[in-house]
Amino acid sequence: MRLEIGEILIKDVQFGEATKVQNGVLYVNAAELSTIAGKDDRIKSVEVFLARPGESVRIIPVKDVIEPRTKVNGPGGIFPGFMTGVEQVGSGRTNVLKGAAVVTTGKIVGFQEGIIDMTGTGAEYTPFSKTQNVVVKVEPIDGLKQHDHELVVRLAGFRAANYLGEAGKDINPDAVQTYETKPILEQAAEFPGLPKIVYVYMLQTQGLLHNTYYYGVDVRQIVPTFMYPTEVMDGAIVSGNCVSACDKNPTYIHCNSPVIVDLYSEHGKTINFLGCIITNENVTLQDKERSSDMTAKLVEFLGADAVIISEEGFGNPDADLVMNCNKIERKGIKTVLITDEYAGQDGGSQSLADSTPLGDAVVTAGNANEVVVLPPMETVIGYPEVANVIAGGWDGSLRPDGSIETEIQVITGATNELGFGFLTAKTA
């Protein structure tokens, strides 16, 4: 399966009479966008704001971040199962407004939502302080239950991103990136001298607003599945969860997974990248055993020499991560784990809720319990008072002057477990 990503570089975003891309600027008709995003009887109001890099703007609480995309040619459409039918995606040409993002906000749904600061200390931790953000503030009707509230806001964000993405359909892209994965037997034989690598892509599926979707299906309902990596890059996986902001994978990050991009960059050079196995993060021990057994079986069946395993979230999903590691390693297949840490504010606590001696190759995205002070912003889009209840904050986190003392857990993407962030380490 061969996918071309046409990158249209967006250097600024402005309101305008018509939604269009011109000379690297995304112009947005706010009234039209709010009407399209708000096409749902369960929505009371939609407001549209702009937040650019370096501006004194805070967005709180952040629900999802979505990259505007449009299908130029090939089967399917963007966000299949939601915006289009369920025809398989991952081939043809997709144009992307690279550097632009839709950010959804509104009243808090669950306590695990996030903050994006466009300048100051917080901006140093989130990748979305560098994007030209179109912020869609969605207010559902009164009395809506939490799951329906989350669904309404999610769909509004997809409609907004789909609408903006259409502005790039007839634009000649600034660059075109090409990614290809062939049928498995052909792919495995293509580079016989290189190690065969599979990516085990753990998705958040614990329920209670902890859901991820594949072609519109809650991944909690599926068994581990082998897929073309290009499907991910074409919007087959979307976020539908309210997990801690620091290591949540917004839809934007799924579509731009640095793990997949980096594996493709080494394909045919140092590795033979066979593809992705998506698997769920479960609640019960029985479900964890079933999924990890099936994941290890798929890895073995594909003839992989090594795998990369990433997780989303922490605590309960750490057990899924360790089970996958143990069972794959016991088949003689090497693993590399990607996670983050909750080691306490002093860094002295156990980093993961589970561990194994076989997990001897681990990449960490940082300690989410690190405490920072976010300075006050001139403009706040959303509801600043949720800083006192959001995961990583506490009663009194929001100070009278508008600054916030909090763990970096509240910052969207701060310790992202796909590596889509800024934290790094160095030896003393």
Side-chain angles (χ1 to χ4, degrees):
M1 191 172 283
R2 187 174 187 271
L3 176 67
E4 293 181 348
I5 299 290
E7 298 180 345
I8 301 165
L9 303 183
I10 303 300
K11 296 172 285 189
D12 190 18
V13 60
Q14 299 178 19
F15 288 126
E17 293 184 0
T19 296
K20 62 182 180 179
V21 174
Q22 187 173 34
N23 298 323
V25 179
L26 171 60
Y27 294 93
V28 180
N29 181 317
E32 195 168 86
L33 174 57
S34 63
T35 298
I36 289 172
K39 283 186 176 179
D40 191 319
D41 291 340
R42 296 166 294 181
I43 292 178
K44 181 165 55 178
S45 67
V46 174
E47 296 179 84
V48 179
F49 304 86
L50 304 179
R52 307 174 186 86
E55 293 182 336
S56 184
V57 175
R58 170 168 295 144
I59 310 165
I60 178 174
V62 173
K63 300 176 183 295
D64 199 5
V65 185
I66 312 156
E67 186 173 55
R69 295 177 165 230
T70 186
K71 201 72 183 170
V72 176
N73 60 60
I78 303 302
F79 311 133
F82 289 106
M83 293 297 97
T84 65
V86 294
E87 187 175 6
Q88 190 172 32
V89 297
S91 61
R93 164 72 71 82
T94 295
N95 277 359
V96 176
L97 302 189
K98 187 60 64 179
V102 169
V103 179
T104 50
T105 187
K107 292 180 181 177
I108 195 164
V109 181
F111 63 90
Q112 293 178 305
E113 296 182 353
I115 297 174
I116 294 173
D117 280 356
M118 301 304 294
T119 191
T121 302
E124 298 173 6
Y125 288 90
T126 176
F128 303 112
S129 63
K130 304 295 188 292
T131 47
Q132 306 289 338
N133 296 325
V134 179
V135 185
V136 180
K137 183 182 178 184
V138 182
E139 297 300 345
I141 59 175
D142 296 334
L144 208 59
K145 292 184 178 180
Q146 285 179 302
H147 284 86
D148 292 329
H149 185 152
E150 192 281 325
L151 173 64
V152 163
V153 177
R154 174 172 16 114
L155 293 177
F158 292 162
R159 287 192 294 270
N162 194 59
Y163 164 75
L164 294 177
E166 286 291 312
K169 191 160 191 173
D170 298 321
I171 302 292
N172 188 36
D174 297 284
V176 176
Q177 310 296 335
T178 302
Y179 305 95
E180 184 175 17
T181 297
K182 298 176 181 177
I184 190 63
L185 294 180
E186 185 179 352
Q187 185 73 42
E190 188 172 25
F191 301 106
L194 296 178
K196 296 183 290 296
I197 307 300
V198 168
Y199 174 32
V200 175
Y201 194 174
M202 291 172 51
L203 302 175
Q204 177 57 255
T205 56
Q206 293 175 276
L208 299 175
L209 302 177
H210 289 51
N211 305 100
T212 304
Y213 295 86
Y214 176 60
Y215 287 91
V217 176
D218 185 344
V219 177
R220 182 174 54 169
Q221 302 176 19
I222 72 172
V223 295
T225 301
F226 187 64
M227 65 181 296
Y228 285 99
T230 54
E231 294 176 73
V232 183
M233 308 174 91
D234 218 11
I237 296 175
V238 302
S239 175
N241 61 57
C242 301
V243 299
S244 288
C246 61
D247 52 18
K248 172 180 176 174
N249 292 328
T251 300
Y252 187 109
I253 294 180
H254 283 301
C255 292
N256 291 277
S257 168
V259 177
I260 292 175
V261 171
D262 285 355
L263 285 170
Y264 267 124
S265 72
E266 291 301 313
H267 177 65
K269 301 174 185 176
T270 61
I271 63 170
N272 187 350
F273 179 30
L274 299 184
C276 296
I277 295 171
I278 56 170
T279 185
N280 35 31
E281 297 175 351
N282 299 288
V283 176
T284 69
L285 180 59
Q286 183 182 47
D287 289 337
K288 291 177 185 292
E289 293 283 10
R290 180 193 301 113
S291 287
S292 55
D293 280 347
M294 290 183 173
T295 297
K297 178 181 67 176
L298 271 175
V299 169
E300 180 184 44
F301 183 65
L302 293 167
D305 297 305
V307 301
I308 292 175
I309 311 173
S310 66
E311 72 170 323
E312 181 177 12
F314 68 100
N316 189 293
D318 294 344
D320 300 86
L321 180 73
V322 168
M323 281 186 176
N324 285 322
C325 172
N326 273 330
K327 293 177 181 180
I328 293 170
E329 285 275 353
R330 286 170 182 161
K331 291 182 179 294
I333 301 166
K334 297 297 184 183
T335 65
V336 174
L337 312 182
I338 309 176
T339 182
D340 64 352
E341 304 174 55
Y342 285 76
Q345 295 183 358
D346 63 356
S349 300
Q350 179 173 314
S351 296
L352 302 179
D354 199 2
S355 63
T356 172
L358 297 178
D360 58 1
V362 182
V363 178
T364 175
N367 178 21
N369 297 133
E370 179 186 341
V371 176
V372 294
V373 175
L374 308 180
M377 297 287 136
E378 294 176 6
T379 300
V380 177
I381 304 171
Y383 297 91
E385 64 272 14
V386 304
N388 294 326
V389 298
I390 208 166
W394 52 82
D395 188 23
S397 280
L398 179 63
R399 296 170 168 179
D401 67 352
S403 62
I404 300 174
E405 182 180 12
T406 183
E407 295 179 349
I408 64 171
Q409 185 180 170
V410 308
I411 301 174
T412 300
T415 61
N416 178 260
E417 292 163 299
L418 300 186
F420 200 88
F422 298 137
L423 288 182
T424 187
K426 61 182 180 180
T427 56

